[in-house]
Each structure stands twice: as C-alpha cells, then as structure tokens.
Amino acid sequence: MHLIDDPDCSLDDLMDYIQGPDFPTGGHILGMQGIREAYETGRGRVIMRALAHTEEMKGSRERIVVTEIPFMVNKTRLIEQIAQLVRDRKIDGVTDLRDESDRDGIRMVIEVRRDADPRIILNRLYKHTQMQSTFGVIMLALVGGVPRVLSLKQVTYELRVAREREHILQGLKVAVDNIDEVVEIIRKSKDTGEAGVKLRERFELSERQSDAILNMRLARLTGLEIEKLEAEIAELTAEIARLEEILDSKSLRMSVIKEELLEVAGKYGDGRRTEILDVPADFSDEDLIAEEDMVITVSRTGYVKRIPPDVYRQQRRGGRGIAGMGTKDDDWVEHLYLASSHDYLMCFTQNGQVYWLKVYEIPLGSRTARGKPIVNLLNIGNEEAIASIVPVRDFPADRNLIFATRLGLVKKTSLAAYSNVRSTGINAINVVEGDRLIDVQLSDGTNDIMLGTRSGMAIRFAEADVREMGRTTRGVKGVELRSGDEVVGMVVVRRDATLLTLSQLGMGKRTRIDEYRTQRRGGIGLINLRVSEKTGTVVGVKEVTDSDELIFVTRNGVVNRQQLIFVTRNGVVNRQLAREIRTIGRATQGVRLVNLDKGDAVVDVARVLADTEDTATLPVAVSSETGEASEPAG
C-alpha cells in the first residue's frame, strides 16, 4: 500500500512495514544486515539463533533451557550434536542433557556444573552447534517464464507488461492490415536494417514494433491467426483499462489490495514468532560475560590467574593476611592488577611483539591456586619470552606506552596505535638483532623517565623529550652507552620515591630520585652506583618507597624469607622490606644487602606484593573515561 502511494519511496521506508522473515519455529534473527541485503539485492543470509534462558537449581547450580530452535533444524540431531561435543570435551561443564519437549512446545534442558559459567557454555553452543545457523534468502520469481531474483520494490509490474505486449500487438495488427505493402517494402530493401527503417517511416512504428513485424512468421497471416491476434488485443485492451482504472482510483486500488491481504491474513496470519534483534550477528565470549572487577596476579615465572576482589577482603579480617597464590620457593607474585573482566592485558615479548589477553580468558582460580602459564594462553612462539605486561581498559589517544630496550633505545607511542587487537599479535616495536625489549610502561605525557645501566650509570629525562612515534619504529636514543654497557631497568617516575639499585655481588642502595637532575635525552647520564670488583655490575633498578617489599634472587635458591627479594644466579631468594635499606647519596657503592656463597651472584630484583595488599589501592587498567593509568608492580 505504501509503495502504491509513493512509488519513489526508499527501501528504508518499505522496511518500516516489512520487518523481515518470520519463521514458524520462532527464535531470534541476529542483525538487520542480512535482511537488508535480501530486500535490496534479492539475496541475503539471515543468522538465526535458538531462544534460551537460564534457571536456578538446588545447590547453587544452574541449567540452560532451550524453548525455540532455528527454522529447519532437527531437534533430535541437535541434541545428538550437543552430546557429542560434551563427550569430545569441546564443551566443558555440562553434567546432564535431556529433552523435556511435549505437545505444548520445545524444552531442551542442559544442566551445568556448579563451577561453570552457563553464559560461556551457551555461547559455545551457539558457536559449535545448530543452535545458531544461517538461512539463505533468494527472492526468486518467474518473470515471463524466466527465473529472476527480485528486490523488494520489484513487486508491481502487471500494467507495464500488459502495455508492452499491447504495443507489440498493435504493430503486428498494422502489418496484417497492410500486408501487401509491408511485403513489398521488405522485398525492395537490401537488408533487414533498411527494411526496419522504411517500415517505421511508412507506418509510424517504434523500433520494437518494426522488429516484431520483421520477425513475424508467415503462419500468422492465416485467417485464424489474425482472429487470435485481434482477440488478444481486445483482451489486453480490457485488462489495461481495468488496471488503469485501479491505479487511477485510490479507493479502488486500496480496496483490491486490502481484499488480497485480508485473504492471505485469513489463511496464514498469526502473531509474530521470530524476534529480530538489532545486534551484530558475529559475537564473542565477551558478549555473554557479565562485566565485573577481578584481581589478576602474575608470578615471576609467568603463572597467571584471576580472583574476585571480595576473596581478599573476606579473608583479611583480624589478621595479618592470607596467602594470595600458591608458588614454588623460587616464585612469587610479582604483578597484581585490579581490572574488569572485559579489560585487556597487553603482553609484550622481548623481541617486540605484543599480544592481547582478555581478563575473562584468564583461568578463574582459588585463592591459593598457582594459576596457569601465561604463555599457554597466548598465540606465542616457544622462542618468545614476556618482557612486560600492561593492563588497559581501552585505548585512549592521550595515554602513551613508553618502551625501553637493552641497547638504550626508548620509544613513545600513543596507546591508540595498539587498538587493533589481533589474536596472533602484532609488532609493537622494531627490535634490531642483538637488542631486546626490557620494559613497557604507561604514561600520561607528563612523567619523567629514568634508565639505569649495567655499568652504574643512570639518566633522567622528561617524557616530552621523546617525540611520539608510530608503532613499527625502533625508537630513539635514551642513553649513550659505553662499550659493553646495557640498560638493565626503566622507571617511569610517578611517586615521591627512591631509586633502588642492586649490584651483581649483593651491594645496593636507595637514593632519592630528586637527586638525579633532569637532563636531555641521549646523554651518558650520572653516576648511580660506583661499580667495582666489590660490587659487580648493576642487575636492576626499581622505584620504591618505605612500604614496598622487594625480592632479590640469586642463582642457588632461597637464602631466607626477609621482606626484600633479590635473585642470584643459583636461584637463592632473599626477601626484605625496602625501609631496611637506608637512603644514601647517589654516587656511592651502597651497602651489603645479600650475603652470597662463593661463585654466586644476584641476577634479579623485583617489588613483590604483600599478601595483605588492599584491593582499593591496586593498580587499575587505564581508562579513557576515568583518566586513571595502571602502575605495573615490579
């Protein structure tokens, strides 16, 4: 009716009235794109999804109940398909599957294990079974005996066809009435083209009429055929008159259409069964996962897990605290973040690649569980090692990533340059042969950057001194290294803190950061620790305050369980509080922090997170809404 009132109306206008297919089995249609393509071109793909909901059971368990399935999907085969996926462990967490359907409708029940998330299981079912399937639309019709694919607007063509046929027949009638003259013109013409021109000039015919005359068979000249021709013209003339009357009279036109529509509705009409959801047809696990805060812990050896924050709060009352992760003697919690289940962890490797990991993809562990190796959760090669982890909520352009490499290069790139998330990872920084990425940190553009070197030098310069660069670049010189020297650590200065410096032979010190004057980028820096045979080379620098807990690790194993941790080559771990290391001047050798066995050496230093860490003070993922940036521990 709308198309007759407004023949030039748009497809959008028509789709206000014709929403899309309505399937007898109900369910959902995902997105309008496939419907629009079908109505615009005559072909399209409609994504159908079963209708399902969750119900609570006894014992804090849940079940998934499916009440409608996609059109043309066999319910029995669907149940068999689900059962096979459960047996093959492609869908985990299903404890029972049964068909409770009756004459009142479909009811498929899928019971879920207590510790499993029914939303994740439902998403897996949509992804791997016919609970989500595709219905191909082809708007095919016979037009003049020829199959054609029609758009939505190509629905009123009777009058046009009748007029075209009448036009041809009127030309043929002229030929029959003047057959002798027509034959004479054709005989005297040298070819068909000349004959057509002469016929059009003599009888005022159109090109289509003259062509029809030239293609006319001699059999049409018999008396019977002439009568049929005249009868067809009479019928067409009457049909044209009827159609013109309908189109000229709006009331008559509406009356005819209403009669036809009412006839169809009386036979087939009922309430709409298929709901059309204006959502993308493509989906991920995230679409069915509730957004909630999580505490993410990462150990020194790369084990990761996530825990709800209230686990810590409930266990911390009335005591010093609780163990936050079950670890081996040579491992500990080195990173602790508070992030949403929809946030990302950006994992940077030493060779300059970055991989993204959604928080919800991290295994949900118990309070004392060790977790899983983070490399097993990433599409990462065996030769790659994680250099740094940065949590982000989104990718605002006003936040920067600061990179530091072993050979003294630094790079500043907008976080927005890394918003194109890929499961296979991308190149975050070009690392030349012989170099490696050692750290990546977030900055808001106003911080200072400090680099510490193995030979005991340190340089501090403003972040603004590093120009912003693209993603696939090497960076610029942050510090001028002497022969054989290399960068061992980077600090993005955010707190009123001290710089901890630790040497290979167990010497170390804390120095107030403001004793390091700001210089231009690319210089040799200032003496940070006087390296000698007594100290050995520098193995690490950290920004620390009195409340920080540090770990020093040696080669041999655990030395003791104090509150700073130093790592030696033999695996010895020494744990101390930062406040036990007194603050002294910049250009000194420091004091003895670790007693080493002969041949042993310190290999690493880290800020370890206390078991009583308050979740309210944890570093959080950077957000363009809040403006807060994470401060990766260690």
Side-chain angles (χ1 to χ4, degrees):
M1 291 167 65
H2 181 75
L3 182 64
I4 291 174
D5 291 338
D6 183 8
D8 297 326
C9 68
S10 67
L11 178 62
D12 290 331
D13 293 334
L14 293 178
M15 290 185 67
D16 287 339
Y17 301 94
I18 303 178
Q19 299 175 11
D22 187 22
F23 298 110
T25 54
H28 288 155
I29 292 176
L30 301 186
M32 297 296 296
Q33 182 178 353
I35 298 174
R36 184 178 182 85
E37 287 177 354
Y39 287 166
E40 191 171 41
T41 68
R43 294 179 181 268
R45 297 171 67 250
V46 175
I47 308 299
M48 304 179 297
R49 179 182 286 183
L51 181 62
H53 65 274
T54 59
E55 296 178 351
E56 291 187 2
M57 301 170 57
K58 294 181 180 179
S60 301
R61 295 174 59 199
E62 291 183 88
R63 61 187 169 211
I64 299 169
V65 179
V66 181
T67 56
E68 297 176 4
I69 61 176
F71 184 51
M72 297 185 72
V73 170
N74 183 280
K75 182 189 62 176
T76 301
R77 285 199 292 269
L78 175 59
I79 293 174
E80 293 173 353
Q81 188 181 22
I82 296 173
Q84 187 61 49
L85 289 170
V86 173
R87 285 193 293 268
D88 295 342
R89 297 185 177 276
K90 293 182 179 179
I91 295 181
D92 188 29
V94 174
T95 60
D96 192 18
L97 170 65
R98 60 184 180 273
D99 184 7
E100 297 182 356
S101 305
D102 55 25
R103 64 181 60 186
D104 293 328
I106 291 176
R107 180 178 170 88
M108 292 166 44
V109 178
I110 305 165
E111 293 190 0
V112 176
R113 198 172 58 223
R114 182 180 291 106
D115 62 344
D117 189 336
R119 296 165 299 182
I120 297 294
I121 293 176
L122 185 56
N123 210 16
R124 296 283 191 268
L125 293 172
Y126 288 145
K127 186 174 183 179
H128 297 294
T129 75
Q130 286 186 299
M131 282 183 61
Q132 178 167 314
S133 58
T134 301
F135 186 87
V137 177
I138 304 178
M139 297 173 64
L140 189 67
L142 287 175
V143 180
V146 179
R148 283 186 55 195
V149 176
L150 305 177
S151 70
L152 186 59
K153 288 192 67 174
Q154 292 171 321
V155 293
T156 56
Y157 61 90
E158 291 182 43
L159 179 61
R160 174 175 54 82
V161 172
R163 282 176 172 163
E164 289 177 355
R165 180 59 179 166
E166 183 204 32
H167 180 70
I168 296 297
L169 293 178
Q170 291 291 356
L172 294 178
K173 189 173 185 303
V174 168
V176 171
D177 292 342
N178 301 275
I179 188 60
D180 293 335
E181 188 176 356
V182 168
V183 172
E184 185 67 20
I185 290 174
I186 294 174
R187 289 181 62 186
K188 291 183 177 181
S189 300
K190 63 180 180 180
D191 54 32
T192 303
E194 181 181 334
V197 172
K198 290 181 178 179
L199 288 173
R200 288 195 293 274
E201 291 175 351
R202 169 64 182 86
F203 300 107
E204 298 182 352
L205 302 173
S206 69
E207 185 174 353
R208 296 181 64 186
Q209 288 175 319
S210 64
D211 289 343
I213 291 171
L214 291 171
N215 292 325
M216 182 176 63
R217 294 180 301 168
L218 292 177
R220 299 298 300 271
L221 299 179
T222 65
L224 183 61
E225 286 295 323
I226 293 174
E227 289 180 4
K228 289 182 179 179
L229 181 63
E230 291 175 343
E232 185 178 354
I233 291 175
E235 290 175 3
L236 282 174
T237 301
E239 179 67 9
I240 289 171
R242 186 184 72 85
L243 294 174
E244 286 179 339
E245 182 183 7
I246 292 174
L247 292 179
D248 289 340
S249 171
K250 183 173 183 179
S251 60
L252 182 59
R253 184 168 66 245
M254 293 300 105
S255 176
V256 171
I257 291 177
K258 287 179 180 178
E259 286 177 6
E260 294 177 352
L261 292 179
L262 287 173
E263 182 182 353
V264 172
K267 290 182 178 180
Y268 310 110
D270 61 0
R272 186 171 186 86
R273 301 183 183 185
T274 303
E275 183 180 358
I276 301 174
L277 304 179
D278 192 10
V279 297
D282 296 332
F283 64 94
S284 63
D285 289 343
E286 184 174 329
D287 297 328
L288 292 175
I289 295 176
E291 187 165 4
E292 54 188 343
D293 286 339
M294 287 287 171
V295 174
I296 300 98
T297 63
V298 184
S299 75
R300 183 184 73 95
T301 57
Y303 281 80
V304 61
K305 69 174 181 178
R306 62 184 172 99
I307 310 170
D310 55 5
V311 170
Y312 286 96
R313 297 193 184 102
Q314 292 171 357
Q315 297 292 332
R316 208 174 59 246
R317 296 174 183 170
R320 178 186 178 276
I322 58 175
M325 174 184 273
T327 57
K328 299 184 297 184
D329 290 341
D330 61 347
D331 201 8
W332 58 86
V333 176
E334 188 173 23
H335 302 277
L336 197 68
Y337 308 111
L338 181 63
S340 161
S341 54
H342 287 191
D343 290 347
Y344 291 96
L345 294 186
M346 299 181 69
C347 304
F348 297 87
T349 66
Q350 292 180 353
N351 64 3
Q353 294 291 110
V354 59
Y355 299 86
W356 292 265
L357 182 65
K358 277 288 188 179
V359 170
Y360 65 75
E361 296 174 331
I362 299 171
L364 185 64
S366 66
R367 177 172 48 82
T368 57
R370 189 181 184 193
K372 289 189 177 181
I374 194 169
V375 293
N376 291 350
L377 304 176
L378 302 172
N379 189 10
I380 189 173
N382 295 330
E383 71 285 355
E384 296 182 274
I386 300 296
S388 184
I389 298 174
V390 178
V392 296
R393 181 163 305 162
D394 46 27
F395 302 88
D398 61 348
R399 292 292 183 270
N400 302 316
L401 288 173
I402 307 298
F403 298 77
T405 75
R406 184 176 71 91
L407 296 184
L409 296 179
V410 292
K411 189 179 83 157
K412 178 174 71 174
T413 303
S414 170
L415 186 58
Y418 299 87
S419 60
N420 186 18
V421 178
R422 298 180 189 172
S423 61
T424 56
I426 61 173
N427 188 20
I429 179 176
N430 284 345
V431 178
V432 299
E433 186 175 354
D435 200 2
R436 73 170 183 270
L437 183 65
I438 62 168
D439 199 6
V440 183
Q441 296 189 38
L442 278 166
S443 178
D444 61 7
T446 63
N447 302 117
D448 285 350
I449 301 170
M450 296 189 69
L451 301 176
T453 77
R454 187 171 63 176
S455 66
M457 305 298 292
I459 187 170
R460 177 182 182 182
F461 52 87
E463 179 187 339
D465 199 18
V466 182
R467 64 183 176 86
E468 186 174 319
M469 307 180 72
R471 180 171 58 81
T472 56
T473 54
R474 290 179 53 192
V476 294
K477 182 181 293 186
V479 61
E480 180 71 36
L481 297 175
R482 293 166 178 164
S483 178
D485 201 3
E486 64 182 51
V487 175
V488 295
M490 175 179 70
V491 170
V492 175
V493 181
R494 301 185 184 90
R495 304 183 292 177
D496 182 15
T498 60
L499 185 71
L500 170 74
T501 306
L502 179 67
S503 74
Q504 187 180 29
L505 298 183
M507 303 292 290
K509 66 183 180 72
R510 291 172 60 201
T511 303
R512 290 195 59 81
I513 287 180
D514 56 17
E515 288 195 28
Y516 299 83
R517 70 177 187 274
T518 302
Q519 300 176 270
R520 293 286 298 174
R521 170 188 59 79
I524 62 173
L526 305 173
I527 296 176
N528 177 34
L529 186 143
R530 293 193 179 277
V531 172
S532 65
E533 293 183 358
K534 178 182 176 181
T535 65
T537 57
V538 175
V539 295
V541 294
K542 298 291 176 185
E543 180 194 48
V544 298
T545 64
D546 286 347
S547 62
D548 287 340
E549 183 180 359
L550 302 174
I551 288 183
F552 307 85
V553 183
T554 72
R555 297 177 192 161
N556 292 325
V558 175
V559 174
N560 57 49
R561 298 298 292 177
Q562 299 177 44
Q563 299 303 308
L564 283 175
I565 297 183
F566 303 83
V567 186
T568 69
R569 294 177 191 164
N570 297 329
V572 175
V573 177
N574 180 298
R575 186 166 179 164
Q576 302 175 24
L577 282 173
R579 62 173 172 265
E580 296 177 1
I581 304 174
R582 64 188 181 94
T583 301
I584 58 179
R586 176 176 53 77
T588 59
Q589 286 190 343
V591 297
R592 175 69 58 186
L593 299 182
V594 184
N595 291 318
L596 300 172
D597 295 333
K598 185 175 181 180
D600 201 0
V602 177
V603 295
D604 196 10
V605 58
R607 174 180 178 251
V608 70
L609 301 170
D611 296 334
T612 56
E613 192 87 41
D614 188 351
T615 58
T617 63
L618 292 180
V620 296
V622 66
S623 171
S624 59
E625 297 178 358
T626 64
E628 296 177 338
S630 62
E631 298 181 10

